[in-house]
Amino acid sequence: MHALSFDVEDYFQVSNFEHVIPFRDWSSWPSRVERNTEIILSALEEASVHATFFVLGWCAEHHPKLVRRIAELGHEVAAHSYDHRLVYELSPDEFREDLRRTRGILEDAAQVEIVGYRAPSFSITEESLWALDVLIEEGYRFDSSIFPVHHHRYGISSAPRFPYHAEREGGRLAEFPLSTYRLFNQNLPIAGGGYFRLLPYPVLRSAYRRLTRASQPAILYLHPWEFDPDQPRVPGVPKLRTIRHRLNLKGSLAKLKKMLQDFEFSTVSDVLGGLGLLETGDQPRSQKG
């Protein structure tokens, strides 16, 4: 079984646009995150699949009913920071404050315990591995931020490719690295996002089948805005970044539905639990009542 995840953020909150849409301007842009997340929820309900939703604290603050609906449908809610600042641009104290703020907002909205985290743009790198210590100290039980690839913004190419316990001086937590395909002694990204939209479906299916046959779980990640070809264009963004952002948006929903037909998916906690990396007591608990 593979893990299915969604990073719940709006189209104008992505790292590629931060130089033209700073945080202070977010409220001036028309939000489409509720509409787009509902498209995802409908597809998952149709396929009887549960997923993990890593939700931006700002989105949860502005759309608490959406977060509550995600939880009530049986999906897992996890943290994706408050305002999408990259971890390696924060101090440990700033990161801790961000974790606490985001967790409080999400738990109030979802009425479930938050035990999982994913860094914006996978920004837990070799220079910010201290973030794992803070996550452990703050009681998080799993992370899915480390991408074992070379990339100018993120990645630890030497990191394990499959789920493992990240052992730190203050304890450990389960790490679900973003999925790669090993070819010519290189890790090629197949986890989702732009890679999902770029790769032809037969290539993606072949890579996931290979992992399935090897009994190695993959993790797929997508964003609600990737199901929205009609989202507003953002002026001032370099042409290449615009192309990358809008690439194959029209085909995302059909491709996701094919993945849901061809492979078994569940939440990050379910998959980690099946691997023995999360004990029963580590699973998120409902706060209702």
Side-chain angles (χ1 to χ4, degrees):
M1 184 176 290
H2 304 298
L4 179 60
S5 65
F6 297 91
D7 295 353
V8 181
E9 59 196 52
D10 231 318
Y11 65 96
F12 53 82
Q13 296 168 327
V14 300
S15 294
N16 273 337
F17 294 168
E18 64 185 3
H19 65 295
V20 294
I21 308 178
F23 172 72
R24 65 178 180 273
D25 293 340
W26 281 5
S27 296
S28 66
W29 283 79
S31 176
R32 296 171 69 87
V33 71
E34 284 192 276
R35 168 199 179 277
N36 296 333
T37 303
E38 286 294 343
I39 292 173
I40 294 169
L41 292 173
S42 294
L44 298 183
E45 187 173 14
E46 181 182 323
S48 298
V49 171
H50 289 128
T52 297
F53 287 75
F54 293 93
V55 184
L56 207 64
W58 190 93
C59 287
E61 195 172 58
H62 288 75
H63 307 283
K65 291 181 180 179
L66 175 64
V67 181
R68 186 63 178 267
R69 174 164 164 73
I70 290 169
E72 288 179 342
L73 288 173
H75 303 291
E76 180 174 38
V77 178
H80 191 45
S81 85
Y82 176 76
D83 54 6
H84 215 265
R85 287 182 296 170
L86 303 181
V87 172
Y88 49 71
E89 294 179 351
L90 304 176
S91 70
D93 286 344
E94 288 173 327
F95 180 61
R96 189 185 306 276
E97 181 182 351
D98 183 272
L99 287 177
R100 291 178 178 178
R101 181 182 188 182
T102 304
R103 174 184 253 169
I105 294 169
L106 292 177
E107 290 186 345
D108 285 347
Q111 290 297 293
V112 295
E113 184 186 19
I114 303 301
V115 303
Y117 177 78
R118 173 173 289 155
S121 297
F122 315 114
S123 53
I124 295 182
T125 63
E126 288 183 346
E127 66 183 272
S128 55
L129 282 174
W130 50 261
L132 300 180
D133 300 308
V134 180
L135 285 167
I136 292 168
E137 291 166 5
E138 291 299 311
Y140 283 80
R141 297 172 196 137
F142 75 80
D143 175 65
S144 181
S145 303
I146 296 178
F147 215 144
V149 295
H150 287 288
H151 191 277
H152 73 281
R153 179 180 286 140
Y154 55 76
I156 303 177
S157 59
S158 60
R161 294 178 54 226
F162 302 110
Y164 62 96
H165 272 136
E167 303 284 350
R168 308 293 294 177
E169 186 174 336
R172 69 181 187 180
L173 82 165
E175 177 67 39
F176 206 134
L178 284 300
S179 296
T180 57
Y181 183 86
R182 191 73 176 167
L183 186 67
F184 302 127
N185 293 320
Q186 297 290 325
N187 294 340
L188 304 181
I190 57 166
Y195 309 113
F196 177 85
R197 291 181 281 117
L198 173 65
L199 293 172
Y201 185 72
V203 173
L204 197 65
R205 180 178 58 197
S206 176
Y208 275 70
R209 280 179 174 173
R210 179 177 174 181
L211 294 177
T212 303
R213 288 195 297 268
S215 298
Q216 295 287 6
I219 186 166
L220 178 63
Y221 77 90
L222 292 162
H223 306 83
W225 56 262
E226 292 185 278
F227 299 88
D228 184 11
D230 298 323
Q231 64 188 262
R233 290 183 177 270
V234 178
V237 177
K239 185 175 182 180
L240 183 58
R241 290 189 182 187
T242 298
I243 291 172
R244 187 167 60 188
H245 181 84
R246 303 185 69 91
L247 179 69
N248 294 335
L249 293 178
K250 290 183 178 179
S252 293
L253 183 58
K255 190 179 286 189
L256 173 62
K257 288 183 175 182
K258 288 181 182 178
M259 291 290 288
L260 296 178
Q261 290 175 352
D262 289 345
F263 301 97
E264 289 188 72
F265 287 98
S266 190
T267 67
V268 174
S269 282
D270 281 348
V271 176
L272 290 174
L275 295 170
L277 294 174
L278 276 186
E279 298 178 3
T280 303
D282 292 333
Q283 302 283 343
R285 298 184 298 275
S286 172
Q287 295 183 337
K288 296 178 183 178

